[in-house]
Amino acid sequence: MSDLKRSLGEAVAAAFAAQGLPEELGRVTASDRPDLADFQCNGALPAAKVAGKPPREIAAAVVEALAGRPELASVEIAGLGFINLRVSAKALSDRAREIAGDSRAGGAEMPSPRRVIIDYAGPNVAKPMHVGHLRSSIIGESLKRLYRFRGDQVLGDAHFGDWGFQMGLLIVAACDEDPFVRTLMERLGDTPRDFNAAEERQVMDALGDHVDLTMLDRLYPQAAGLAKTDVEFRDRARRATAELQAGRPGYRLLWRQFVKVSRVALEREFHALGVDFDLWKGESDVDPLIAPMVAELEAKGLLVEDQGARVIHLARPGETKKKKAEDGTVYEAPSPDPLIVISSEGSAMYGTTDLATVLDRRKSFDPDLILYCVDQRQAGHFEQVFRASYLAGYAEPGALEHIGFGTMNGPDGKPFKTREGGVLKLHDLIEMTRAKARERLNEAGLGSELTPEEFEATAHKVAVAALKFADLSNYRGTSYIFDLDRFSSFEGKTGPYLLYQAVRIKSVLRRAEAERLEPGRISIVEPAERELALLLDAFEAALAEAYDKKAPNFIAEHAFKLAQSFSRFYAACPILQAGDAAVSASRLALAGTTLKQLELALDLLGIETPERM
Ligand code: ARG
């Protein structure tokens, strides 16, 4: 099954090729004059330059080659040599029926599936999540769903930040606050050892009574603040981090408790957002791989001494950037900077864990592709990790890709902050959006027939749709301004508008069912039906573009156009009161098919639709 846009594109491309012209010039797009045509091709104009012939002459040859194709009602030349294609009502009806009968709603599956890991969200133990984590979660979840839908074998990994300095901060803060924890840590000593199961259970149970989420939420900001002013505290936290990583037994168990408590809370929070991971691998998981990896890099001659650190040089000859020395003189330095594998203090770095993670993923899953959905500001870091991985032979060149994104900004154009100027916690952001959603529902007179529980569940769905659609309707690379009033409106290009349209179709379908009206054979007749059928056909092209560019905004755009087109169709073409049983049945089927595709598109964006509002 192929979409009309693609099959016409191929036919036009072949007509260009037959004239000895580049196939790419035969590109077909949706017409920007739906009153004149369904599709258009503008390639005859650039082709004229290549061929040294008038564009209309080239266009005429294309028209001739296409004449007689059964799916076309007309092919015409307009203006300087634009080719206008109009699809026949039969072809459009056939295609709409095909989509109606397709559980994938017209979205194709890739012929050769790949193995893909998507590294996204990247939350950290105890540190509150902020809007950067939100964007990563939203975009990563959507890409995961899209890749899976296209047929790839995909694993989503939260890549849990559980191994850094924040762990030492928490250990020291917990010992300072709770004498029980402190005494327990002392009693367990500092020599690494294994526990027997009973002893371990006993310690974990005891820690469970003392270390909970409220404690972590309270301790982390305190400790992070203190470390900035209190040198002694900071040094103790550094030491604790090193001792933890070296295997100090009490710290290991205390750390396990931190990780457990944090993860349970995070998983719950992500799940409420419709974000679920296949893997919760921690940065700590690759710790045992680091020593052998370093030895191997050493043996390969990739590690070099640099001011006491062990680094990998990454710049190719001639790759430099201007740098300023301490005395102000400007010089050319290799670019990108070398990757620091072991710091001058002997510790593994952020890049070291990422490099070891590439190795780990290769061993466990052997992916064809790893996508890192992380803030654009980490682009330099990933450039270093990727180059080092390729040099070390841990991944095929091109198999690692940074999916960067811009920031969500406040009205001042800077990354979004709370009114007090602090980092906005994800939790608070969602709560705020939910409150707004309730307000919007009430103001629109929606949901008044729902039970309080149903109303709450609907408000939650509206809130998630508002946040996710606002994010995903922009190309991921661009930053956008957080505007809750606009995002949560039931009008305009918003998530709530899409939910509203989907719910409207559901209610039509329910009414039809009550009136015992069955969907029937689709025939496309009216202009509004044509427009809707053409959009149903355009789903595949939108998916393909989103997939190739790793950019869900193409799906968001499609969903929005589809909803708008349905709205026009519904206004122009009565469904239940069509006055003719066959017409009613056709329109009902068209409405049901639109709903199926709309819900699928929304699902690929990670958005769930309520049954009613
Ligand atoms: N935990 C990191 C942060 O909060 C993000 C991790 C991104 N993924 C990665 N493989 N480095 O900034």
Side-chain angles (χ1 to χ4, degrees):
M1 164 157 88
S2 174
D3 51 309
L4 289 166
K5 187 174 171 211
R6 173 165 320 177
S7 53
L8 285 175
E10 281 164 8
V12 176
F16 272 79
Q19 296 186 58
L21 292 163
E23 278 197 5
E24 312 81 79
L25 294 177
R27 217 169 77 85
V28 158
T29 53
S31 167
D32 44 22
R33 285 289 304 274
D35 52 326
L36 299 179
D38 301 324
F39 296 101
Q40 65 188 50
C41 170
N42 303 344
L45 288 89
K49 293 210 181 77
V50 181
K53 279 197 246 172
R56 285 189 70 101
E57 194 176 306
I58 292 169
V62 173
V63 167
E64 195 175 322
L66 293 175
R69 283 189 73 93
E71 75 268 43
L72 287 176
S74 69
V75 204
E76 281 160 3
I77 307 173
L80 296 172
F82 302 104
I83 303 164
N84 278 340
L85 308 160
R86 194 177 271 296
V87 182
S88 72
K90 176 174 183 310
L92 218 43
S93 304
D94 286 346
R95 177 68 182 142
R97 279 180 219 137
E98 196 174 49
I99 297 172
D102 178 14
S103 62
R104 304 175 58 86
E109 202 159 0
M110 303 305 287
S112 42
R114 294 180 292 179
R115 305 160 71 81
V116 183
I117 290 183
I118 304 191
D119 178 318
Y120 69 112
N124 303 303
V125 170
K127 278 198 224 172
M129 285 200 281
H130 53 73
V131 294
H133 295 108
L134 177 70
R135 287 215 73 189
S136 170
S137 312
I138 293 177
I139 298 167
E141 179 69 24
S142 178
L143 290 176
K144 183 187 76 184
R145 292 176 183 215
L146 172 63
Y147 270 62
R148 210 166 263 165
F149 181 72
R150 296 297 261 178
D152 290 325
Q153 203 181 325
V154 191
L155 289 178
D157 183 3
H159 198 71
F160 201 13
D162 63 353
W163 208 226
F165 177 57
Q166 87 266 26
M167 304 315 317
L169 280 175
L170 281 176
I171 290 173
V172 173
C175 290
D176 285 0
E177 178 176 284
D178 189 328
F180 171 83
V181 175
R182 183 171 59 241
T183 319
L184 182 63
M185 293 302 113
E186 279 161 11
R187 184 162 67 74
L188 294 172
D190 51 14
T191 322
R193 67 179 169 102
D194 289 328
F195 292 95
N196 67 48
E199 189 188 2
E200 187 175 305
R201 169 123 21 91
Q202 204 194 2
V203 175
M204 289 306 286
D205 284 347
L207 284 174
D209 293 338
H210 286 255
V211 177
D212 60 8
L213 193 61
T214 8
M215 183 192 201
L216 293 193
D217 281 349
R218 188 180 61 246
L219 287 189
Y220 179 76
Q222 267 174 25
L226 197 56
K228 287 199 184 107
T229 53
D230 184 336
V231 184
E232 190 261 348
F233 181 80
R234 186 172 57 222
D235 286 345
R236 280 165 57 217
R238 282 219 181 109
R239 252 191 330 269
T241 311
E243 284 180 303
L244 166 72
Q245 296 187 351
R248 181 171 168 150
Y251 285 4
R252 283 285 173 139
L253 296 188
L254 180 56
W255 165 78
R256 266 228 320 256
Q257 177 65 11
F258 293 153
V259 172
K260 189 167 110 191
V261 164
S262 252
R263 176 166 160 187
V264 169
L266 285 166
E267 261 183 298
R268 196 182 322 117
E269 207 159 318
F270 278 125
H271 181 72
L273 264 182
V275 174
D276 296 281
F277 301 93
D278 306 292
L279 299 173
W280 271 85
K281 289 278 206 163
E283 290 176 8
S284 65
D285 281 312
V286 296
D287 189 57
L289 300 183
I290 289 180
M293 178 181 84
V294 170
E296 193 206 49
L297 293 172
E298 199 82 66
K300 283 185 173 157
L302 285 168
L303 283 190
V304 238
E305 159 87 33
D306 187 348
Q307 299 165 51
R310 311 290 294 162
V311 308
I312 303 181
H313 282 293
L314 304 169
R316 288 180 279 261
E319 288 184 319
T320 58
K321 66 168 176 246
K322 290 205 180 357
K323 269 197 173 175
K324 219 181 219 161
E326 266 166 39
D327 63 5
T329 50
V330 174
Y331 65 102
E332 292 288 327
S335 171
D337 285 336
L339 178 80
I340 305 178
V341 178
I342 298 294
S343 76
S344 55
E345 286 155 347
S347 22
M349 314 292 285
Y350 183 41
T352 321
T353 31
D354 263 325
L355 192 58
T357 303
V358 174
L359 197 56
D360 188 37
R361 287 172 174 163
R362 191 184 64 177
K363 284 190 185 134
S364 59
F365 188 65
D366 195 20
D368 301 302
L369 181 66
I370 306 179
L371 300 180
Y372 295 80
C373 231
V374 188
D375 196 314
Q376 190 56 36
R377 290 173 289 187
Q378 292 195 27
H381 164 76
F382 286 109
E383 173 72 20
Q384 289 179 304
V385 170
F386 296 172
R387 286 199 184 208
S389 303
Y390 300 148
L391 281 173
Y394 294 169
E396 290 298 315
L400 308 174
E401 201 175 326
H402 176 212
I403 305 300
F405 48 83
T407 50
M408 182 173 109
N409 295 333
D412 59 354
K414 300 214 184 83
F416 196 82
K417 291 264 162 68
T418 60
R419 228 170 282 159
E420 293 74 39
V423 178
L424 180 65
K425 284 196 209 166
L426 188 53
H427 185 83
D428 298 338
L429 175 76
I430 293 166
E431 203 30 73
M432 186 164 115
T433 313
R434 226 173 354 223
K436 191 75 185 177
R438 284 184 210 111
E439 192 185 309
R440 287 293 201 182
L441 282 165
N442 287 330
E443 152 197 305
L446 293 169
S448 49
E449 283 127 51
L450 301 177
T451 65
E453 294 77 40
E454 285 171 337
F455 183 82
E456 208 30 56
T458 303
H460 181 75
K461 284 182 181 159
V462 170
V464 171
L467 283 177
K468 287 190 168 178
F469 191 82
D471 194 294
L472 296 174
S473 56
N474 296 291
Y475 175 69
R476 59 179 159 77
T478 46
S479 298
Y480 64 94
I481 289 180
F482 182 72
D483 180 348
L484 195 49
D485 271 324
R486 188 165 65 77
F487 296 173
S488 61
S489 169
F490 282 101
E491 281 158 35
K493 195 172 180 178
T494 68
Y497 167 77
L498 293 177
L499 294 194
Y500 177 72
Q501 292 301 342
V503 166
R504 203 147 78 117
I505 307 179
K506 290 187 189 192
S507 111
V508 173
L509 299 185
R510 268 197 304 271
R511 256 185 293 143
E513 210 182 316
E515 292 176 24
R516 303 196 181 282
L517 223 99
E518 295 276 335
R521 190 177 158 83
I522 296 179
S523 27
I524 300 299
V525 182
E526 298 298 324
E529 293 175 328
R530 287 191 69 92
E531 187 201 302
L532 189 54
L534 283 165
L535 268 167
L536 289 170
D537 180 60
F539 182 46
E540 168 53 22
L543 287 180
E545 189 155 26
Y547 182 78
D548 294 342
K549 298 191 174 142
K550 292 144 182 131
N553 60 298
F554 295 102
I555 303 174
E557 185 66 32
H558 176 77
F560 178 62
K561 283 193 190 149
L562 184 66
Q564 273 187 317
S565 172
F566 176 80
S567 190
R568 281 190 290 267
F569 157 77
Y570 192 49
C573 303
I575 299 177
L576 306 178
Q577 262 86 46
D580 175 309
V583 175
S584 271
S586 162
R587 289 181 184 164
L588 191 56
L590 202 51
T593 306
T594 305
L595 177 67
K596 175 172 67 179
Q597 196 182 77
L598 183 58
E599 279 200 295
L600 176 55
L602 287 171
D603 181 64
L604 295 178
L605 300 175
I607 297 173
E608 239 183 289
T609 48
E611 280 318 298
R612 51 184 92 228
M613 343 201 248

